[in-house]
Amino acid sequence: MVTEKYLYRSAKEWKARHATTKIYDQILLALKNGDIPKLAKLTSKNFDYPIKTIIPWASTHFTEMIIKKAKSRFKKDYLGFMMLGGMSGGGMGMYVNPKKYEQRKQGVLDILRETKSELSAALPFAMEPVVYNFEINNNGSTSNLKKGGKAIMPARYYGLQMKELARQNPSEIDYQ
């Protein structure tokens, strides 16, 4: 849908697309400054306009309900919303007051479950709602090379793999 609207240069969507550039620059600045409340406001703004203009299906009644409930219940502790992908609620982020994080984290899960229950007769849900913790990783992806006796997987991994290894012909197993 984004590509189609880009190629057609639909006026409303084209204008919205240009708005993303300005918001993106402000998001980068908020990240650079570590200004999470500002970041939360900007991602909310980006979702409301231009994202929902470019991709109307990015939001549903479910998404709009949880945002409305979070604003109402958390009041000043609600900082903002971010659509992470997976249109229609398949990946969302909600910013809350970090000082009340644990309490609000459970509150977000309660809102998700409650709203899912309210809409379950009208909207199919693929899974139960979950809440993940996210934080900025300044190191990116890293790894450590382990050798010899230290180069083993957790015991649970071997427990899962043993059945499959037992079914194989020993001459077909690559031990290197």
Side-chain angles (χ1 to χ4, degrees), residues 3 9 20 24 53 58 73 104 109 112 122 134 137 162 164:
T3 302
R9 302 288 202 270
T20 62
Y24 179 73
T53 300
R73 290 186 196 173
R104 296 306 184 208
L109 185 57
L112 290 168
F134 286 94
N137 172 1
M162 290 308 275
E164 185 58 35

Side-chain angles (χ1 to χ4, degrees), residues 14-25:
W14 188 249
K15 183 179 175 185
R17 187 173 183 278
H18 284 285
T20 62
T21 305
K22 293 175 185 169
I23 294 171
Y24 179 73
D25 290 340

Side-chain angles (χ1 to χ4, degrees), residues 13-158:
E13 291 84 357
W14 188 249
K15 183 179 175 185
R17 187 173 183 278
H18 284 285
T20 62
T21 305
K22 293 175 185 169
I23 294 171
Y24 179 73
D25 290 340
Q26 293 173 23
I27 286 172
L28 289 178
L29 186 60
L31 282 168
K32 184 178 179 181
N33 294 332
D35 189 346
I36 301 306
K38 178 75 171 175
L39 177 65
K41 285 180 185 172
L42 289 166
T43 58
S44 291
K45 177 181 178 180
N46 191 54
F47 179 64
D48 288 334
Y49 177 83
I51 295 295
K52 290 194 290 188
T53 300
I54 299 168
I55 315 167
W57 297 332
S59 190
T60 63
H61 184 60
F62 172 73
T63 304
E64 298 303 319
M65 282 180 69
I66 64 168
I67 293 169
K68 184 178 178 181
K69 287 179 182 184
K71 286 178 179 179
S72 173
R73 290 186 196 173
F74 301 161
K75 307 219 182 308
K76 291 183 201 173
D77 289 338
Y78 174 85
L79 302 180
F81 177 83
M82 171 175 43
M83 181 58 73
L84 298 169
M87 295 186 326
S88 302
M92 301 176 281
M94 195 167 292
Y95 294 92
V96 296
N97 178 350
K99 293 178 182 169
K100 296 187 181 176
Y101 172 75
E102 286 302 323
Q103 175 188 357
R104 296 306 184 208
K105 177 178 154 182
Q106 182 59 48
V108 169
L109 185 57
D110 292 344
I111 288 170
L112 290 168
R113 287 178 175 162
E114 171 190 304
T115 308
K116 176 189 181 273
S117 176
E118 290 170 14
L119 298 176
S120 64
L123 182 66
F125 287 84
M127 60 182 274
E128 282 299 311
V130 294
V131 175
Y132 293 98
N133 298 324
F134 286 94
E135 56 185 61
I136 295 173
N137 172 1
N138 292 314
N139 298 318
S141 297
T142 62
S143 66
N144 295 310
L145 178 62
K146 296 186 179 188
K147 296 180 180 182
K150 293 183 180 185
I152 58 170
M153 298 295 287
R156 185 168 176 225
Y157 169 82
Y158 294 107

